[in-house]
Amino acid sequence: MTIRSIAGAFALLLVLAIKPATAGNLDVLLSGVFPDQQATYIGYESVEREDIPDTSPIERKYLIVDFRFESDPAADQLQASVHKVCMALLKDRELIQSLSDSGYDMVAVAFDRKSQYDCL
């Protein structure tokens, strides 16, 4: 190996190390929120709000992260689960910055097709 190839490999590693959070990181983070299989991570969906004009200073995009329970949880378990997901997201500062830089102004958690719970 030459010094040039070593330097190139090192530069590539640095770029990869400081790369902002990506969708793949979101999937990895959220699939590990409930290791005891209390709820299963399904995926996420990007939603653009059509009711906000393009010219508005308010961002139009938000993200829904989707989980499913095997059976309907009690109200206190649902609230605790929403909190657990939201805290996992909020603790990952790089991910939050990446989402913000990508134009997302809100993240919501869903455990069924009827309800969404806002995190931020």
Side-chain angles (χ1 to χ4, degrees):
M1 256 188 170
T2 67
I3 291 179
R4 176 180 263 173
S5 65
I6 293 171
F10 183 70
L12 178 61
L13 285 174
L14 280 177
V15 167
L16 292 174
I18 60 174
K19 186 175 122 179
T22 62
N25 291 348
L26 181 63
D27 286 333
V28 170
L29 173 71
L30 294 176
S31 63
V33 170
F34 297 104
D36 56 359
Q37 302 303 318
Q38 176 186 4
T40 303
Y41 172 64
I42 302 297
Y44 65 91
E45 181 180 354
S46 177
V47 177
E48 189 162 338
R49 295 181 53 187
E50 299 295 327
D51 60 323
I52 298 176
D54 288 333
T55 56
S56 173
I58 298 171
E59 294 292 343
R60 295 168 38 111
K61 291 192 322 184
Y62 72 97
L63 197 69
I64 302 171
V65 294
D66 201 8
F67 292 83
R68 291 294 181 270
F69 289 106
E70 284 190 28
S71 60
D72 289 336
D76 59 336
Q77 181 187 6
L78 178 62
Q79 184 177 1
S81 297
V82 170
H83 180 74
K84 189 172 188 175
V85 172
C86 292
M87 292 309 296
L89 290 166
L90 288 170
K91 286 179 183 177
D92 191 328
R93 292 167 114 8
E94 282 186 47
L95 177 61
I96 294 300
Q97 186 62 53
S98 178
L99 290 171
S100 180
D101 291 346
S102 298
Y104 291 97
D105 66 344
M106 187 176 73
V107 176
V109 181
F111 289 98
D112 58 35
R113 294 199 156 281
K114 298 177 276 185
S115 305
Q116 296 175 12
Y117 305 90
D118 296 344
C119 283
L120 48 126

